[in-house]
Amino acid sequence: MRKLRTQVGIVGAGPAGLLLAHLLHLEAIDSVVLESRSRDYVERRVRAGVLEQGSVELLNESGVGERMRREGLVHHGIEVRFGGAGHRIDFPELTGGRSITVYGQQEVVKDLVAARIAAGCELRFGVGDVAVHDVESDAPRISFRDGADEFELACDVVAGCDGFHGICRQAIPTANLSVFERVYPFAWLGILAAAPPTHDELIYAYHERGFALYSMRSPEITRLYIQVAPDEDIADWPDERIWQELHARLETSDGWKLREGPVLEKGVTGMRSFVAEPMQYGRLYLAGDAAHIVPPTGAKGMNLAIADVRVLAGALIGFFKARRTDLLEAYSATCLKRVWRAEHFSWWMTSMLHRFPGDDGFQQRLQRSQLDYVVSSRVAAASLAENYVGLPFA
Ligand code: APR
Ligand code: PHB
């Protein structure tokens, strides 16, 4: 058994773990990041793609925004499509000048991995048997295997940034955790296509055949989603069937056409809302998907992970530099305020835009009424826009 020591042991190299390590490094606080997957895997994994303005600002201020500023696509609105017509929600006009940036999560991950390596800081990919110990004490430990060697990492604090299926949340006794959850009766089938986008902004479509989303990653790559059954077998969806469904749900009689192209990637993602409270147990702090999940309709997942580690980094800086414990004590409550706002917004967008199995004329008319209201009332549109671009930090 080989012994290591650090100030903050970080489990998981997604956006949460990597950004936390980076923010701590800027303040000369030592950390070790442990990731079970390979570097290649985490840098290729296709995930979310929308950054709130506040997330963009944090990446820029912390010095990892250079490629994002060059390659990210700044969007000043989205379109909501239903009843055969499109309706634009103008973000800057409704939010006092705010907007979003379309930049893939794996690009954020690549930039943060590069920064970590350039700084010469510890980041281990492909580690196994990761387990956390003694988190109730002032001397928590993480054990893991790296190749043939067994390690024990002594820490002052452990950050559980290991996603929804990680081990950190599970290390908290069930009596000390409250879990709140909704599983939706549908999933998203997503594709990445080598097709230049034919629309400048995202399109959220409510359609009798089910929800569809038009998104993109670059001037050459389109990202598209359709609502499918939760247990949908991807084998039943040859590319032609996916394109047919996308044309039917997204195109209206205004003459706009989406462009097809070779499908580079496809997958089915379940839809869930989930929150574990509190986001802390002893010296173990949870951040990102390890603590909460939102359905992707509000584009909030990556932004919540970034918002959590902004708070956690600030609290840890106070702890290590000024022996302050108040910010760490407030960590969970501070994060959960933003988390529950995003949970509500994501649930609301999901409920308004999807077809529910067994729904009836009553529910569909409520959805249509809500959609009509959102695109015709400035106040309702401003509420959607304010949540979508991200609420300011307290
Ligand atoms: N040991 C080490 N690493 C682990 C372990 C483990 N036992 N279990 C999981 N991991 C790693 C995963 O391989 C993954 O790389 O933890 C990382 C968690 O990263 P994410 O799942 O990307 O979670 P997070 O950083 O919180 O970012 C949230 O991801 O799912 C999307 O929509 C979500 O955009 C949001 C973002
Ligand atoms: C994406 O581009 O992957 C994306 C965009 C907006 C969403 C969800 C996903 O709401």
Side-chain angles (χ1 to χ4, degrees):
M1 171 83 70
R2 297 166 62 171
K3 304 240 176 198
L4 304 169
R5 148 122 213 113
T6 190
Q7 289 173 293
V8 184
I10 301 176
V11 186
L18 290 166
L19 183 59
L20 177 64
H22 177 67
L23 296 174
L24 294 175
H25 169 70
L26 295 178
E27 295 291 330
I29 295 168
D30 188 56
S31 67
V32 171
V33 183
L34 303 172
E35 166 61 50
S36 54
R37 302 285 193 160
S38 69
R39 177 176 179 183
D40 194 52
Y41 182 91
V42 301
E43 290 189 344
R44 276 172 198 255
R45 186 170 42 189
V46 180
R47 309 282 276 281
V50 172
L51 289 167
E52 295 174 358
Q53 184 156 326
S55 302
V56 168
E57 285 163 3
L58 181 61
L59 295 170
N60 278 331
E61 284 158 16
S62 64
V64 285
E66 194 266 329
R67 196 164 64 94
M68 173 184 69
R69 283 195 298 279
R70 249 187 306 123
E71 297 178 13
L73 308 170
V74 177
H75 283 197
H76 300 298
I78 55 168
E79 191 174 307
V80 181
R81 240 173 225 212
F82 58 94
H87 309 266
R88 184 160 187 270
I89 310 275
D90 185 318
F91 292 154
E93 208 252 319
L94 292 163
T95 64
R98 299 178 78 77
S99 38
I100 54 152
T101 296
V102 175
Y103 190 61
Q105 179 169 318
Q106 82 267 37
E107 306 307 325
V108 174
V109 164
K110 276 185 213 160
D111 297 342
L112 289 166
V113 167
R116 184 82 180 156
I117 290 171
C121 297
E122 272 240 50
L123 164 56
R124 291 176 187 240
F125 290 103
V127 301
D129 303 335
V130 179
V132 297
H133 312 276
D134 298 338
V135 290
E136 307 85 352
S137 78
D138 289 350
R141 293 171 294 124
I142 307 176
S143 57
F144 64 97
R145 190 176 37 71
D146 193 351
D149 297 320
E150 305 276 340
F151 290 87
E152 188 177 86
L153 175 64
C155 315
D156 295 312
V157 168
V158 174
C161 303
D162 50 348
F164 184 63
H165 301 287
I167 49 102
C168 288
R169 190 180 66 252
Q170 289 161 29
I172 302 178
T174 49
N176 294 77
L177 209 62
S178 300
V179 164
F180 304 90
E181 190 167 23
R182 282 278 180 286
V183 178
Y184 298 88
F186 36 76
W188 280 13
L189 190 164
I191 62 167
L192 199 63
T198 50
H199 198 267
D200 292 339
E201 293 176 340
L202 274 59
I203 304 169
Y204 287 80
Y206 173 82
H207 194 274
E208 61 191 20
R209 302 181 68 86
F211 171 76
L213 172 60
Y214 185 92
S215 181
M216 62 206 68
R217 284 292 177 276
S218 72
E220 292 81 38
I221 305 282
T222 316
R223 177 80 171 144
L224 300 139
Y225 300 93
I226 45 172
Q227 173 186 351
V228 294
D231 53 354
E232 199 75 48
D233 185 354
I234 192 100
D236 294 336
W237 287 87
D239 296 353
E240 313 78 72
R241 184 175 174 208
I242 299 174
W243 288 115
Q244 214 176 12
E245 209 51 46
L246 284 164
H247 287 296
R249 297 185 195 188
L250 284 163
E251 288 169 0
T252 52
S253 53
D254 64 1
W256 175 79
K257 293 266 174 271
L258 72 91
R259 189 177 323 196
E260 296 187 17
V263 174
L264 307 173
E265 203 256 0
K266 66 177 161 181
V268 174
T269 321
M271 307 270 285
R272 172 193 302 272
S273 300
F274 175 94
V275 182
E277 292 182 2
M279 291 167 57
Q280 173 254 338
Y281 176 68
R283 288 279 183 103
L284 170 63
Y285 295 85
L286 302 178
D289 278 15
H292 41 72
I293 294 287
V294 284
T297 327
K300 286 285 159 254
M302 173 164 48
N303 295 294
L304 279 184
I306 291 173
D308 286 351
V309 301
R310 172 200 293 262
V311 177
L312 186 53
L316 289 169
I317 292 162
F319 178 69
F320 287 109
K321 298 247 159 140
R323 291 279 133 213
R324 281 180 69 172
T325 54
D326 57 325
L327 296 173
L328 277 177
E329 280 156 19
Y331 169 71
S332 175
T334 305
C335 288
L336 284 169
K337 267 193 123 150
R338 188 179 194 84
V339 166
W340 276 112
R341 178 86 300 279
E343 289 288 344
H344 180 272
F345 177 65
S346 306
W347 163 86
W348 174 75
M349 287 284 280
T350 303
S351 307
M352 177 171 69
L353 287 162
H354 290 74
R355 281 294 165 128
F356 285 70
D359 65 2
D360 56 7
F362 181 80
Q363 181 164 357
Q364 288 162 14
R365 280 164 178 74
L366 291 182
Q367 288 176 316
R368 274 299 299 267
S369 168
Q370 186 65 18
L371 286 161
D372 282 331
Y373 181 52
V374 158
V375 301
S376 60
S377 153
R378 184 183 170 85
V379 176
S383 171
L384 189 158
E386 173 179 62
N387 280 276
Y388 200 99
V389 301
L391 286 147
F393 290 93

